[in-house]
Amino acid sequence: NAGVTQTPKFQVLKTGQSMTLQCAQDMNHEYMSWYRQDPGMGLRLIHYSVGAGITDQGEVPNGYNVSRSTTEDFPLRLLSAAPSQTSVYFCASSPQGRSTDTQYFGPGTRLTVL
Amino acid sequence: TQLLEQSPQFLSIQEGENLTVYCNSSSVFSSLQWYRQEPGEGPVLLVTVVTGGEVKKLKRLTFQFGDARKDSSLHITAAQPGDTGLYLCAGSLSNSGYALNFGKGTSLLVTP
């Protein structure tokens, strides 16, 4: 199993550009989520999904959209990038999203918005 | 407002020393997890504690969940350079993991 994969690994955008961060998992997990990690801020939840067709907002959802058309994929869309969205983005999955489940993280996407 | 406060924020020690990292909150958590993150990678789960007062050991790492389920500690015995990394605690206020709150992390450097 590849686990959780993310692409791209690095990305530079100009303010106002849009892009999609890809996330895929091959463990048949129902729960998937997106976090951003900023220096001194820890990991903050952006959006999550408890299954195909179901998404919900986390702590910092503004400026981001998600969809979950399949169990495997959970892309994160930046509609109009802003410098405040410069961060490292992690996708994670777990079997059911229970607090005792192991969350499996991808390797991250490092995004810079100029 | 940070729900989980970790201390210390940074720790630099020599190989062979012992250390303790703390994760504190004023809220009660249904469970708490510890992750380790190495540079350029995603966090990896070390342990999950569920019961107040629970102690779990993972080789040289000892994890404790406070009796009131508001705090946790990670103790490393005889630290090795391979222990270097960012240690994150994460907890859920409910039995659902949907609102998993992370601390800011403790960055540990172990030098030979």
Side-chain angles (χ1 to χ4, degrees):
Chain A
N1 287 351
V4 179
T5 57
Q6 291 184 238
T7 56
K9 194 162 181 64
F10 300 95
Q11 183 70 50
V12 178
L13 292 178
K14 294 182 179 179
T15 298
Q17 287 185 318
S18 63
M19 78 158 296
T20 300
L21 280 62
Q22 301 292 344
C23 174
Q25 52 92 10
D26 61 359
M27 297 173 282
N28 202 32
H29 286 171
E30 290 297 324
Y31 181 80
M32 296 185 74
S33 56
W34 277 101
Y35 292 87
R36 60 178 289 173
Q37 187 174 34
D38 303 293
M41 297 294 292
L43 284 159
R44 293 183 291 171
L45 183 64
I46 304 172
H47 285 286
Y48 65 90
S49 168
V50 300
I54 306 170
T55 64
D56 207 343
Q57 297 180 351
E59 180 186 356
V60 288
N62 292 341
Y64 307 95
N65 277 358
V66 291
S67 60
R68 184 98 179 268
S69 57
T70 67
T71 299
E72 295 78 21
D73 301 297
F74 191 43
L76 178 72
R77 296 182 185 85
L78 283 69
L79 301 177
S80 179
S84 61
Q85 293 178 304
T86 293
S87 187
V88 182
Y89 291 85
F90 289 99
C91 178
S93 74
S94 68
Q96 299 291 333
R98 293 171 299 214
S99 61
T100 53
D101 282 350
T102 299
Q103 289 218 54
Y104 295 86
F105 285 83
T109 294
R110 186 175 295 274
L111 175 67
T112 301
V113 183
L114 303 175
Chain B
T1 304
Q2 194 74 22
L3 211 55
L4 285 166
E5 297 287 345
Q6 287 190 240
S7 61
Q9 190 176 357
F10 300 99
L11 194 54
S12 181
I13 61 172
Q14 290 196 318
E15 183 176 4
E17 293 184 21
N18 302 331
L19 67 116
T20 302
V21 174
Y22 299 94
C23 177
N24 295 306
S25 177
S26 58
S27 301
V28 176
F29 287 89
S30 62
S31 63
L32 204 138
Q33 297 180 321
W34 285 91
Y35 290 80
R36 181 169 66 204
Q37 183 179 19
E38 299 190 13
E41 299 182 8
V44 175
L45 180 70
L46 294 173
V47 77
T48 300
V49 286
V50 179
T51 305
E54 183 176 4
V55 177
K56 281 192 174 180
K57 292 192 175 184
L58 185 65
K59 297 182 181 178
R60 294 175 294 98
L61 278 61
T62 302
F63 303 87
Q64 185 163 8
F65 201 13
D67 291 341
R69 290 186 287 135
K70 292 183 178 182
D71 54 83
S72 180
S73 63
L74 157 60
H75 181 79
I76 302 179
T77 303
Q80 299 178 359
D83 296 326
T84 293
L86 180 67
Y87 290 81
L88 296 157
C89 66
S92 177
L93 295 174
S94 68
N95 288 327
S96 161
Y98 306 158
L100 196 62
N101 299 279
F102 278 84
K104 293 182 180 181
T106 292
S107 182
L108 171 66
L109 175 64
V110 183
T111 54

